[in-house]
Amino acid sequence: MISKNIVLTFPDGARREYPGGVTGLDVAKGISPSLAKRTVAMALDGRLADLSDPIERDAKIEFVNRDDPRALELIRHDAAHVLAEAVQTLWPGTQVTIGPVIENGFYYDFFRNQPFTPEDFPLIERTMREIIARDRPFTKEIWPREQARTVFADMGESFKVELVDAIPEDQQIKIYKQGDWFDLCRGPHMTSTGKIGNAFRLMKVAGAYWRGDSKREMLSRIYGTAFAKQEELDAYLRQIEEAEKRDHRRLGREMDLFHFQEEAPGSVFWHPKGWTLFQTLENYIRRRQSLAGYAEVNAPQLIDSSLWVASGHMATFRDVMFLVEPKEDDERSYVVKPMNCPGHVQIFKHGLKSYRDLPFKLSEFGKVHRFEPSGSLHGLMRVRAFTQDDAHIFITEQQIAEEVLKVNDLILSIYSDFGFDDVRIKFSDRPEKRIGDDAVWDKAEAALLAALKASGRPWTLNKGEGAFYGPKLEYVLRDAIGRDWQCGTVQVDLNMPGRLGAFYIDEHSNKVTPVMLHRAMFGSLERFTGIMIEHYAGHLPLWLSPVQAVVATITSDADDYAREAAAAAERSGLRVEIDLRNEKINFKVREHSLAKVPVLLVVGRKEAAERTVSIRRLGSDKQQTMPLEAALSSFAQEGVPPDLRRRQQAA
RNA sequence: GCUGCCGUAGCUCAGUGGUAGAGCACCCCCUUGGUAAGGGGGAGGUCGUAAGUUCAAUCCUUACCGGCAGCACCA
């Protein structure tokens, strides 16, 4: 084959001509043997490729060494292959499937009768280190489709055969070898197994469905992670430990906020302090939406199932609804509400509504129950009974875009009060399971999209993820350690009001079905409380802290003064506790620090005589002595919720 | 729901085929101590539930309930 010459552009801007089909390795060697030695892969026009790939066209070329951030995914992917080889060496007959790189590492899914346990890890890791030490080169072969099918079928690798069949006709079947072991893989890989290094670790085992399909086989997945350097691996492991310390389930116990028990799986027992936090958040939302023109209501917890049949819930979401066992002498069956919308529609319907009444905004801190799958429950984040800061806005079709925009602004303003400015918006369109004509969906989606575009915010499409009654926007927050949480939502509903017989009278005296917007801002108060706990690692801002200050005595001589100080703090509007116990101040400081109390007001003989307090803030070991009244007014001011502070400043 | 692991005092955990232990927390006593654990004593558990194996089960088996991790699900 005659190849034309090609021109490669190097990172320093230099351009050189090479014969077509030259490999990256040849190019590197031509520059310097040491460059060739330390290069693990190349990037052509920014795309990673095997160093041994022939280059057939003009391109920008970069040589990637192990320490290059782009090499990290290669290290991890190579490690996944080595993991697979190790497992098949140790347990012949185990089938391999796929082993991709994920956010913090990699995994490999295996199929075998006996699942793995973490006790297997030392042996697997030792075998992996042996394979890495052999430092065999990764080599790529392109196989004809039939050969790949036959080879994998003969090896008993039925999952691989399925993968081969799933590769589109126009794509090559690539096989990567590392010594004798090989795997179907789209690559790229580094030059040899030795480049992986030793900064890797197997993390956990878990089940996972083949191809993510709960109807297919359950595979045994091994998770691992790998880094270029041992220090990076150590830092990652430390970071995991830190994340565990801010787990809201742990902090909930340590701060005495709430608990769960098995008689009520997925339902929260809120303790006084946790409920204080919850209500502080609820009251904040109550003020914000009251100012925005919402009227708060409350609808029944149990409603006859006929209403859920009419709304469409019974047909679509019966599985997750709690149905009440009927009494023998009562033929009616009731449903514990899984959503607030049908209740609000009833309130809208009560009394004739005029077009002049629109937009008609009803809000409710609605406690809903949903029978979530047992495996999905997770502390406050995923529960079976939760409180939505829910609202429904009844409007005309013409008002959709304007009202969606208002909701959008309100949501973003609220998040900003909690320091969340990095908010992502997802647009979810029609799902497969839905009610309503496609023409209606067209209209709803178009209106929502128009509002979204008018907001000027970046957004992404979540195809087919809409609610069964309409398309929606979802607001995703990123917390202090980079995790994403879906909270707020706005949903356009052109279906349910009509199904439930809601209408208003327009200016021509015609009955018209209103459009309904569903919206939530925190989403679930329970979840948002959990997010707050984890986001702040328990160090809540003063206005959210259930106990804002503790007055702690050093000796009992200061008891009377401490009582006085605590009473004064309460009069200033602070949530304060008093600790007169016969314990050393060291002990009290330790205990209240562990309970994450933000302000410790220490009083002894000196403070009692001078009418001062010795202040110790959470997270610092510094002390500051201030006159009592000055300290209290300063803390009272600091404890004002952000919306009320704005109101103060505006006044 | 699926796979795996787990369930012993309020919490964190140890332990054994012959009906249980530690630390912290709790109660009482001593101690009044100046910013992350002062000392002593006491009380507290039908070892998740139910069957089975066994002379004997907290320990072995099975089922159920609950939890954890992941997967699937999430109006």
Side-chain angles (χ1 to χ4, degrees):
Chain A
M1 183 164 70
I2 302 162
S3 295
K4 288 197 306 192
N5 280 0
I6 57 161
V7 176
L8 295 179
T9 308
F10 292 87
D12 63 0
R15 297 157 70 88
R16 286 171 70 178
E17 203 167 305
Y18 289 92
V22 68
T23 69
L25 185 61
D26 293 335
V27 175
K29 276 182 181 162
I31 293 168
S32 89
S34 70
L35 174 68
K37 204 173 168 191
R38 68 171 184 267
T39 299
V40 299
M42 63 180 168
L44 291 175
D45 292 330
R47 285 189 58 175
L48 284 176
D50 294 328
L51 191 60
S52 58
D53 276 352
I55 307 168
E56 308 282 5
R57 56 183 166 79
D58 294 355
K60 259 188 71 191
I61 186 168
E62 293 166 86
F63 295 109
V64 176
N65 64 35
R66 262 193 103 241
D67 298 330
D68 191 303
R70 289 173 294 182
L72 187 58
E73 65 175 283
L74 299 179
I75 290 173
R76 290 171 173 174
H77 190 190
D78 290 6
H81 276 235
V82 169
L83 166 62
E85 177 179 353
V87 165
Q88 286 201 315
T89 306
L90 292 167
W91 296 284
T94 303
Q95 288 194 58
V96 291
T97 65
I98 57 164
V101 172
I102 52 174
E103 192 175 352
N104 290 312
F106 61 90
Y107 66 78
Y108 208 109
D109 283 346
F110 300 95
F111 183 73
R112 78 168 180 151
N113 296 330
Q114 175 119 26
F116 302 99
T117 75
E119 282 83 69
D120 296 325
F121 286 178
L123 182 57
I124 301 174
E125 287 180 349
R126 199 183 319 142
T127 311
M128 288 174 70
R129 283 181 215 289
E130 286 167 16
I131 296 167
I132 290 167
R134 285 204 288 272
D135 197 19
R136 292 285 169 72
F138 280 101
T139 56
K140 178 169 57 183
E141 296 174 10
I142 309 295
W143 285 6
R145 191 167 289 262
E146 261 320 300
Q147 179 188 351
R149 290 193 92 251
T150 312
V151 169
F152 284 119
D154 289 349
M155 292 166 71
E157 297 278 6
S158 54
F159 294 94
K160 282 290 174 190
V161 174
E162 196 176 329
L163 286 178
V164 169
D165 289 340
I167 296 174
E169 282 303 325
D170 59 344
Q171 284 182 28
Q172 294 174 325
I173 309 290
K174 293 186 236 174
I175 302 292
Y176 278 86
K177 288 193 172 173
Q178 54 200 57
D180 299 327
W181 194 85
F182 61 89
D183 197 3
L184 172 75
C185 181
R186 76 165 71 89
H189 283 277
M190 298 191 290
T191 48
S192 66
T193 57
K195 300 294 193 297
I196 295 168
N198 275 317
F200 68 87
R201 176 133 157 198
L202 300 182
M203 304 295 291
K204 57 194 168 198
V205 291
Y209 296 111
W210 169 234
R211 309 204 118 190
D213 183 345
S214 59
K215 293 182 190 65
R216 300 292 307 265
E217 296 87 337
M218 178 63 76
L219 305 173
S220 188
R221 174 173 296 180
I222 297 179
Y223 284 91
T225 191
F227 289 85
K229 297 196 183 84
Q230 185 65 36
E231 304 90 83
E232 292 167 349
L233 174 61
D234 293 342
Y236 173 69
L237 297 175
R238 271 197 304 276
Q239 188 198 322
I240 291 177
E241 275 175 41
E242 283 307 308
E244 276 167 19
K245 282 191 196 145
R246 66 165 73 208
D247 188 311
H248 73 280
R249 292 167 299 185
R250 173 183 178 146
L251 287 169
R253 189 177 62 239
E254 291 172 356
M255 297 169 71
D256 192 19
L257 301 177
F258 58 85
H259 83 269
F260 290 90
Q261 66 185 51
E262 59 178 280
E263 288 82 356
S267 295
V268 190
F269 289 79
W270 285 106
H271 297 191
K273 288 175 189 167
W275 193 240
T276 300
L277 170 57
F278 185 102
Q279 287 185 102
T280 304
L281 290 166
E282 185 177 284
N283 287 331
Y284 165 83
I285 288 289
R286 184 170 276 129
R287 292 192 300 269
R288 293 298 312 260
Q289 64 191 8
S290 162
L291 219 55
Y294 291 83
E296 187 172 329
V297 299
N298 198 273
Q301 207 66 42
L302 293 179
I303 301 181
D304 192 287
S305 55
S306 60
L307 188 62
W308 304 103
V309 171
S311 67
H313 289 89
M314 196 58 100
T316 328
F317 285 102
R318 193 195 171 97
D319 289 355
V320 295
M321 306 203 305
F322 285 94
L323 308 176
V324 177
E325 207 172 295
K327 296 196 80 164
E328 272 173 33
D329 54 353
D330 189 350
E331 277 136 44
R332 308 184 62 173
S333 67
Y334 294 89
V335 172
V336 185
K337 69 175 175 184
M339 292 181 100
N340 303 300
C341 7
H344 291 186
V345 173
Q346 304 317 305
I347 295 173
F348 175 87
K349 282 169 64 180
H350 210 83
L352 274 186
K353 295 293 180 296
S354 150
Y355 70 97
R356 297 176 200 273
D357 296 323
L358 309 186
F360 190 82
K361 305 180 181 182
L362 296 177
S363 70
E364 177 175 2
F365 293 96
K367 186 143 193 185
V368 296
H369 290 74
R370 300 178 185 178
F371 205 102
E372 302 287 355
S374 57
S376 69
L377 301 180
H378 182 91
L380 297 175
M381 303 305 196
R382 189 80 181 271
V383 285
R384 284 183 175 158
F386 60 101
T387 313
Q388 294 182 308
D389 57 338
D390 206 356
H392 294 89
I393 305 171
F394 297 86
I395 48 176
T396 66
E397 272 183 33
Q398 290 70 38
Q399 292 169 323
I400 296 177
E402 186 190 343
E403 287 303 320
V404 168
L405 260 179
K406 278 189 198 163
V407 172
N408 180 70
D409 290 347
L410 183 59
I411 289 179
L412 293 175
S413 154
I414 283 168
Y415 292 169
S416 157
D417 273 347
F418 291 87
F420 294 112
D421 292 303
D422 181 15
V423 179
R424 253 89 39 81
I425 306 179
K426 296 188 295 184
F427 171 63
S428 303
D429 62 4
R430 66 193 76 184
E432 276 182 32
K433 253 179 141 181
R434 60 176 183 263
I435 55 177
D437 296 337
D438 281 357
V440 173
W441 276 88
D442 288 342
K443 233 191 263 181
E445 286 171 359
L448 194 54
L449 202 52
L452 180 56
K453 285 178 176 163
S455 82
R457 283 266 173 168
W459 57 279
T460 54
L461 176 67
N462 238 6
K463 196 134 193 57
E465 295 291 315
F468 72 89
Y469 45 72
K472 64 184 179 186
L473 301 184
E474 287 170 334
Y475 295 77
V476 180
L477 300 183
R478 177 154 288 184
D479 75 8
I481 53 173
R483 287 173 307 181
D484 289 338
W485 299 103
Q486 189 193 302
C487 294
T489 180
V490 195
Q491 308 172 359
V492 179
D493 185 350
L494 299 175
N495 287 304
M496 211 185 292
R499 289 182 70 112
L500 294 176
F503 64 88
Y504 63 92
I505 308 296
D506 74 2
E507 58 266 55
H508 309 296
S509 296
N510 295 320
K511 286 185 180 177
V512 181
T513 303
V515 175
M516 182 163 77
L517 299 183
H518 306 240
R519 73 97 257 240
M521 302 186 289
F522 286 163
S524 143
L525 268 295
E526 282 76 1
R527 168 183 284 192
F528 201 80
T529 306
I531 294 172
M532 287 292 103
I533 294 167
E534 298 201 355
H535 180 63
Y536 291 112
H539 294 231
L540 296 163
L542 200 61
W543 76 278
L544 288 175
S545 291
V547 177
Q548 295 172 311
V550 168
V551 179
T553 51
I554 295 171
T555 74
S556 53
D557 293 337
D559 283 4
D560 288 341
Y561 176 62
R563 286 194 194 94
E564 242 184 88
E570 232 161 73
R571 280 197 302 276
S572 330
L574 290 166
R575 295 184 288 267
V576 62
E577 284 183 356
I578 185 162
D579 185 354
L580 303 179
R581 287 177 304 170
N582 176 12
E583 296 289 352
K584 291 195 173 184
I585 192 61
N586 283 345
F587 180 86
K588 294 185 184 181
V589 165
R590 175 182 155 82
E591 210 171 59
H592 298 303
S593 299
L594 288 174
K596 307 281 193 286
V597 174
V599 175
L600 209 51
L601 302 174
V602 176
V603 296
R605 280 202 201 96
K606 194 161 123 272
E607 287 78 8
E610 296 171 351
R611 300 198 63 78
T612 57
V613 283
S614 167
I615 302 163
R616 181 180 167 130
R617 298 295 301 251
L618 180 62
S620 161
D621 56 4
K622 296 206 172 48
Q623 300 161 42
Q624 189 194 2
T625 303
M626 270 177 82
L628 173 65
E629 294 304 327
L632 293 182
S633 72
S634 150
F635 289 128
Q637 185 55 35
E638 184 185 336
V640 172
D643 59 317
L644 294 181
R645 184 187 304 275
R646 268 197 303 277
R647 230 184 271 183
Q648 280 180 1
Q649 284 162 354

